[in-house]
Structure formats: structure tokens, C-alpha cells
Amino acid sequence: MSGPPLAPPDGYQVGHWSDPEGMTGCTVVLPPKGTRGGVWVMGGGPGTRETDGMSPYSRSEGPSAVLLTGGSAFGLAAADGVARWLEERGRGTTTPAGPVPLVPTAVIFDLPSGDPRARPGPDDGYAACEAAAPGTPARGPVGVGTGATVAKALGREGSSQGGFGYAATRTGAGEVVAALAAVNAAGDVLAEDGSILVGPRDADGKLVSGAEAMAAMTEPPDLRAPEGNTTLVCICTDAPLDKRECGMVARGATAGIARAVDPTFTPVDGDVAFCLASGAGESRPFGAMQVGAAAATATAAAIRDAVRAAGTA
């Protein structure tokens, strides 16, 4: 994935709202009308809203938007502003009482990064929608990644800036598979060759492997040190996937988290992956498998892009 990033598929728009003083923010993904969606939750401490509607067992239509936000559970309120923005434009599930927007949302825990009382709210979710635009989104410490941190296995004092990352690729069928990643992991971020791109610093300022340090501990770590962590991913593709296949691709995307974050899916991480698919027509044989493989590759690249764009690597 060298060279300029491939833009998201046609019809997708991404918008950030950032609070650099409070060190928090949110990022919204606005998909084309008729987009299907799926979700997969891997972390032990997720914070979500309306994800049940993305289950293949749910009768609901596809999501009107996906929101990735800081502020921990408080930040879920930002989805109200996204829903208001969508309702004003007549976007949402059709009901006798008018359109009802569905806004699946997932949060990161960034409260200790700045002012713990600074949390994205409804007006901020609305502002992110106003800022949404097609093309490659801004990356680094922006939007949901504003207050993100990584490599916290030895405590916050040895951690580094996380952020928001983006990467995209194409399948052999020509479909675009783009990954958006909010990287606030407890673990290290690994480079393409498996070496440590960003890891914790010990008391002497030396870079160490958080995974190895955790495994070698003779006593349980103080879980108040990692506080709360998460890698959030949203896959955007123009492949013709149905709702069930979107869930399969979301699950496949988590393999990319495991390639780029170590350790991952821990009890103190709330890792969540979404998949949005806007392609028309019938899904093709093994399409979900191919798109899922591409999603894992793009996810790993987006995670690395987040810390590189933040200047942390």
C-alpha cells in the first residue's frame, strides 16, 4: 500500500470533530443510501450503541451512519446529534412517523488524556456530519483519535500518542476496501515485519515489548494503569455484500488488529469492527472471503498509519 492512499468508495463521506484542548473528538462515516452493515466485537470492555441492529438476525435496515467517538460511555450522546442531522435531511429507516436514523456507535476511553469533563456531545456529532466529505480523510490526532494513546502495558507514563488512521486496497474484482481505525490500544503497534513500531518506555526511557513485559510479570499488573483502551475499525467497501456477509467481513477485519497490535483483545480493550457495504446486485461466490482478507490487510495498515500520522512511530 505504498504511494498516495486510495480514496474510499464513491458515496462514502467521513467527517471529524476535534477538541485539541479537551483532547477528545468524534468521527462519523456517512454511507450511501441502501448500504448494508455488520459488526464484530472482540474486546473485553466495549462501549457501544445500536450495534444489535447490525446483527443478521435483526430485521432493521442498514445503518444510516456509523460513529466512532471519544468520551467513553459519555461520548455515546454524540450519536444524538448525528441522528438529528440525518433526520433533518430525511435519511433513515422509513416509518409511518417519518425517517428514523440508525447510528451504530462505538467509543474509546480517552478521558485521562485531557479534561475528563470534555466529552463529545450531540452538537459535536452534528458538527462532524457537517464536516463530512468524500475522499481520503485527515489522519493522526484528529476526530476520535484526538486523545488516543497506545502502548500502555507499563502504565500511562510510558505510553505514546495514538490517533486515527486510514488505508485502502482493491480486490481482484476491482472492489475498494477501505479501513478507518481509531487506535487507542493498550498494546504495542507492530510494523509490517513484526518489529515494534510503538511500544512502552521503561523507567530509563528504553523501548520495550509490552507483550513480553506483561507475560514476564510475577504479579498481576495494576489494571488501573491501562485504564481503558480500544481499537475501533470501520470497513467501507463497494462490494455487493449482504448483511450476513458484512458481519463476516467485520470479523475478518479483526485479524488485521491482531497483526498490528500486541497484545490485543485484552480484558481492558473494547475492540469493535464495523463493515459497511454499498455495492448493488447479488454477492459473488467467495466474495466475503476475498473482501475479508483485504479488510484485514487494510486494517493493519490503517492502524500503523494512525501512529505514523501522529508522529509517534
Side-chain angles (χ1 to χ4, degrees):
M1 295 187 185
S2 59
L6 179 66
D10 290 343
Y12 287 90
Q13 298 184 68
V14 180
H16 296 303
W17 174 82
S18 308
D19 178 2
E21 293 186 3
M23 293 295 288
T24 191
C26 60
T27 299
V28 68
V29 182
L30 302 176
K33 185 178 180 180
T35 294
R36 287 78 59 203
V39 66
W40 194 259
V41 179
M42 287 293 290
T48 60
R49 163 176 163 163
E50 291 191 66
T51 52
D52 285 348
M54 300 182 83
S55 164
Y57 301 107
S58 168
R59 63 172 291 274
S60 64
E61 299 176 17
S64 309
V66 166
L67 180 66
L68 311 178
T69 181
S72 190
F74 301 108
L76 292 171
D80 292 340
V82 177
R84 173 163 54 92
W85 187 92
L86 291 163
E87 182 188 24
E88 290 174 356
R89 288 153 182 81
R91 298 171 64 170
T93 298
T94 302
T95 78
V100 176
L102 303 179
V103 187
T105 301
V107 304
I108 68 168
F109 186 89
D110 58 0
L111 300 180
S113 295
D115 182 353
R117 296 167 297 179
R119 307 140 183 177
D123 290 344
D124 308 320
Y126 191 100
C129 293
E130 289 283 275
T136 303
R139 296 115 71 203
V142 296
V144 62
T146 302
T149 51
V150 296
K152 289 164 276 188
L154 298 184
R156 191 172 188 84
E157 61 278 5
S159 67
S160 296
Q161 174 76 55
F164 178 84
Y166 172 83
T169 187
R170 286 188 187 274
T171 67
E175 301 149 341
V176 177
V177 181
L180 315 174
V183 186
N184 187 56
D188 312 341
V189 177
L190 306 181
E192 289 81 355
D193 62 0
S195 62
I196 299 174
L197 193 61
V198 182
R201 302 277 175 175
D202 64 15
D204 298 323
K206 179 182 177 182
L207 182 69
V208 299
S209 165
E212 292 180 3
M214 187 175 293
M217 290 178 180
T218 56
E219 297 181 0
D222 182 355
L223 292 183
R224 292 173 299 175
E227 297 141 345
N229 316 273
T230 293
T231 300
L232 304 178
V233 174
C234 184
I235 301 297
C236 302
T237 182
D238 53 7
L241 305 175
D242 61 27
K243 196 174 183 181
R244 173 176 170 270
E245 290 171 322
C246 285
M248 295 168 65
V249 170
R251 179 177 61 188
T254 63
I257 301 177
R259 293 176 197 172
V261 178
D262 185 34
T264 194
F265 311 141
T266 73
V268 295
D269 282 279
D271 306 313
V272 179
F274 297 97
C275 173
L276 302 176
S278 60
E282 296 291 328
S283 57
R284 54 191 175 80
F286 301 107
M289 182 180 295
Q290 187 176 40
V291 175
T297 298
T299 294
I303 292 169
R304 296 171 184 131
D305 177 69
V307 295
R308 286 170 172 150
T312 299

